[in-house]
Amino acid sequence: MSTEAGTATGRQEVGWRDPKRYLWLWGLFAPTGLFIIGLPLIRGLNELGLHTLAEVPFWLGPILIYLVIPAADLLFGPDGSNPPDEVMEYLENDKYYRYLTYLYLPFQYASLVMACYLITADDLSWLGIDGGLNVVDKIGLALTIGMVGGIGINTAHELGHKKVHMERWLSRIALAQTCYGHFYIEHNRGHHVRVATPEDPASSRVGETFWAFWPRTVWGSLRSAWGLERTRLARLGHKPWTLHNDVLSAWLMSLVLYAALVAGFGIEVLPYLVLQAIVGFSLLEAVNYLEHYGLLRQRTARGRYERPTPRHSWNSDHIVTNIFLYHLQRHSDHHAYPTRRYQTLRSWDGAPNLPSGYASMIMLAYVPPLWRRVMDKRVLAHYDGDITLANVQPSKRDEVLARYAPA
């Protein structure tokens, strides 16, 4: 019996089928929303004479991320379903799931090109717009496309962990829009090694606001990626300033992309390309901020960090964000099995859980007093009241210990 037939038989024997199999199609809404909702809605509202209201769809990205998905998470609640062991091999080998991630990329870049056209066009009468877009609409569109690129980084994350060479290349292509190609290097070879330690630029600390974390992780991740590549190339007898350096080749991909867009649409598009790139990678870093806040791997008797366990990642199992982010919220399972495909990731009972989905928690992270009110007590409870076991921001250590140390 073939492996495929055997695993299919195993699936039938347990009577299980993926309840989210066709819900995963919603993951393609982000890169296609401009075409299937945004543009038709703009045209329709303009036809009705509702010109001010017709400007709202240009802000579809922020509306989706900050309003629709958080509300849907509250409405539909946690997922609660894990695939049984008997179907894991079948799910891993079902190419339907990987094709969905492949499809994200052409839609991602079609949206980017359409946005560049809309931003620079002088005549948009086919949308019912007199002349071109105003600056506010252009900014809204740049934010929307930046968020498509930000979710594209998550798609790149899914593809970049795989052993298939083509998928790793697709990962790098997905990252070119946001100029964050070094993420491919730092995340796989840096973050997964140093996660939940003070040495990891992508692990946030108790007392560290998102706004303090952002420059530390952006610069720290880039510096780490460069260092990892320099070390790798030195072993091969190469200097770092070569196209064999994956950081430089990633920058070159972004440079070629941006040069082509500027050549095609004019220099006017460049500030909006920069804006959407910052929005895109900032959305990623907001997610990074959530995933390991305050969690710390302890030193062993030999002075080395303990192995990562489910206790070192904040999870959330809200179904709507799960679908849009390819189970990224099942983060403990991802760190335990980095090459495991998204459809097979499972929710761990022993992992600490966020009170809501990632989309809701991102908004909370933007407001440090609210974030700390919600999350610091959870970190404290996770360590049974001993805040000294947590990953604490060095500059805030005295304040944190004074506030949370047992009497």
Side-chain angles (χ1 to χ4, degrees):
M1 181 183 293
S2 69
T3 300
E4 184 175 350
T7 52
T9 301
R11 177 183 62 129
Q12 294 166 358
E13 285 175 356
V14 297
W16 186 91
R17 66 185 304 275
D18 183 5
K20 299 192 290 289
R21 183 175 179 86
Y22 298 109
L23 291 178
W24 291 114
L25 288 165
W26 278 103
L28 295 174
F29 178 78
T32 61
L34 179 64
F35 296 102
I36 64 178
I37 287 186
L39 297 180
L41 194 56
I42 292 166
R43 174 61 186 266
L45 291 171
N46 279 323
E47 288 289 331
L48 294 172
L50 301 173
H51 301 298
T52 300
L53 198 58
E55 296 182 58
V56 173
F58 290 113
W59 297 78
L60 184 62
I63 291 169
L64 177 68
I65 298 296
Y66 298 132
L67 294 177
V68 175
I69 294 180
D73 271 338
L74 290 174
L75 178 63
F76 293 101
D79 187 334
S81 65
N82 279 336
D85 292 339
E86 295 85 348
V87 304
M88 294 293 277
E89 185 179 357
Y90 171 82
L91 275 180
E92 280 281 328
N93 294 323
D94 189 340
K95 293 186 177 180
Y96 163 79
Y97 295 95
R98 69 184 71 178
Y99 291 155
L100 293 181
T101 58
Y102 299 171
L103 279 173
Y104 191 99
L105 273 68
F107 291 134
Q108 172 187 344
Y109 279 95
S111 294
L112 176 63
V113 171
M114 175 57 76
C116 291
Y117 161 72
L118 292 172
I119 286 170
T120 57
D122 295 324
D123 180 11
L124 293 174
S125 55
W126 61 278
L127 280 176
I129 296 172
D130 185 15
L133 299 184
N134 60 49
V135 173
V136 173
D137 292 344
K138 292 178 181 180
I139 291 173
L141 186 54
L143 296 183
T144 292
I145 296 305
M147 290 179 176
V148 171
I151 299 175
I153 297 177
N154 180 60
T155 307
H157 168 260
E158 169 65 23
L159 294 168
H161 272 294
K162 302 304 172 279
K163 297 178 181 179
V164 180
H165 182 71
M166 182 193 74
E167 291 183 305
R168 295 191 175 200
W169 264 103
L170 290 176
S171 172
R172 299 174 72 181
I173 292 170
L175 293 166
Q177 176 183 338
T178 49
C179 300
Y180 231 54
H182 62 277
F183 171 81
Y184 170 84
I185 302 151
E186 155 56 21
H187 180 82
N188 291 357
R189 289 155 48 196
H191 173 65
H192 272 263
V193 174
R194 299 178 300 223
V195 62
T197 70
E199 290 78 23
D200 181 30
S203 293
S204 59
R205 305 155 177 170
V206 174
E208 183 179 32
T209 69
F210 169 70
W211 307 108
F213 171 77
W214 186 90
R216 181 174 73 84
T217 189
V218 170
W219 173 246
S221 295
L222 177 57
R223 185 173 57 185
S224 173
W226 182 265
L228 288 166
E229 275 300 275
R230 183 175 57 194
T231 301
R232 180 182 71 86
L233 291 167
R235 292 197 199 102
L236 299 174
H238 296 300
K239 299 290 185 181
W241 295 98
T242 168
L243 286 181
H244 294 292
N245 186 327
D246 286 342
V247 175
L248 292 180
S249 63
W251 287 350
L252 181 60
M253 290 177 70
S254 294
L255 181 62
V256 169
L257 172 64
Y258 279 41
L261 292 172
V262 169
F265 297 102
I267 196 67
E268 177 191 352
V269 80
L270 185 57
Y272 298 99
L273 287 174
V274 173
L275 175 60
Q276 67 82 29
I278 294 171
V279 168
F281 69 69
S282 296
L283 188 62
L284 163 77
E285 298 301 359
V287 171
N288 276 338
Y289 181 77
L290 314 176
E291 290 175 332
H292 306 284
Y293 179 76
L295 302 179
L296 181 65
R297 287 154 56 196
Q298 307 303 313
R299 297 277 189 178
T300 66
R302 299 177 63 183
R304 310 180 80 174
Y305 287 112
E306 63 182 322
R307 293 178 61 85
T309 72
R311 291 176 53 82
H312 300 125
S313 300
W314 289 101
N315 280 5
S316 173
D317 205 27
H318 284 70
I319 188 168
V320 175
T321 304
N322 265 352
I323 289 166
F324 275 90
L325 294 183
Y326 300 119
H327 270 163
L328 181 66
Q329 297 182 129
R330 295 183 170 184
H331 209 58
S332 291
D333 203 20
H334 167 66
H335 272 278
Y337 304 98
T339 61
R340 179 174 281 178
R341 294 188 181 273
Y342 69 93
Q343 67 270 21
T344 59
L345 291 175
R346 293 183 285 190
S347 184
W348 289 65
D349 292 334
N353 276 279
L354 297 171
S356 189
Y358 277 14
S360 304
M361 299 304 294
I362 286 172
M363 291 190 295
L364 207 61
Y366 294 156
V367 187
L370 292 180
W371 171 264
R372 294 197 62 186
R373 182 178 300 177
V374 170
M375 288 302 300
D376 283 12
K377 62 185 179 184
R378 286 175 165 79
V379 176
L380 192 64
H382 181 64
Y383 289 110
D384 297 322
D386 188 353
I387 199 64
T388 63
L389 297 177
N391 189 5
V392 178
Q393 175 75 348
S395 63
K396 297 290 183 71
R397 190 167 188 82
D398 290 343
E399 175 212 321
V400 170
L401 292 181
R403 180 183 297 186
Y404 298 118

